[in-house]
Amino acid sequence: MMQDRPLIVGIGGTPRAGSSSERALAVSLKAAAERGARTLLLSGAELVLPMYMPGQPQSEQASRLLAALRECHGLIISSPAYHGSISGLIKNALDYAEELRTDARAYLDGVPVGCIACAGGWQAVGQTLAALRTIAHSLRGWPTPLGAMLNTSVPLFDADGNCTDKATKRQLETVGHQVIDFARMQRLGRQRAQPIPTEATADP
């Protein structure tokens, strides 16, 4: 049933199709799908949006992004490291979450967020992962315990986008697994927290 299949949305990549960050995101989403999630990947040209301005009319692409963020039960963000932090493309896409501030679920309140950082060295990738976690917290999301760090100075993917490094693949799959597992645990917790209807008792 649809309600038993949480929607996990992936945001990442660069305007160039097939980037390492996009391929990494696809691996994590596939792992979530194998555990029963519905998945949606938004990357590349789909994230080339006008610079975010509060209250501006939304483009078709921006509206699709916002609809996905509103519907999702979990989110995975994958960013390349540009000068020690996340790319402008990803930051601008996440800035659009400001439009969710007045929703019943404000921003990403309680949503599990998996974070993936890709860089051509360990220093930049560590800083970028920390930035992603900070943004997730600022949007009231729950960063998963494991964040994936990919040093792309060595080959990690083949021409078909398959991850060829076992340790890296394990990281990416764990991120996907933790996001859907946390989404399901949260849903179970909400169900248990709902009051149990009882029959009204008449006064004697």
Side-chain angles (χ1 to χ4, degrees), residues 58 61-71 96-97 99-100:
Q58 304 300 337
Q61 287 172 277
S63 295
R64 185 181 184 219
L65 170 63
L66 289 171
L69 292 177
R70 286 187 167 106
E71 186 183 352
Y96 273 83
E99 295 297 306
L100 311 181

Side-chain angles (χ1 to χ4, degrees), residues 90-115:
I90 302 303
K91 180 60 168 64
N92 187 51
L94 293 172
D95 284 345
Y96 273 83
E98 180 63 18
E99 295 297 306
L100 311 181
R101 67 190 179 280
T102 58
D103 286 10
R105 183 186 75 185
Y107 300 108
L108 298 173
D109 190 23
V111 174
V113 181
C115 300

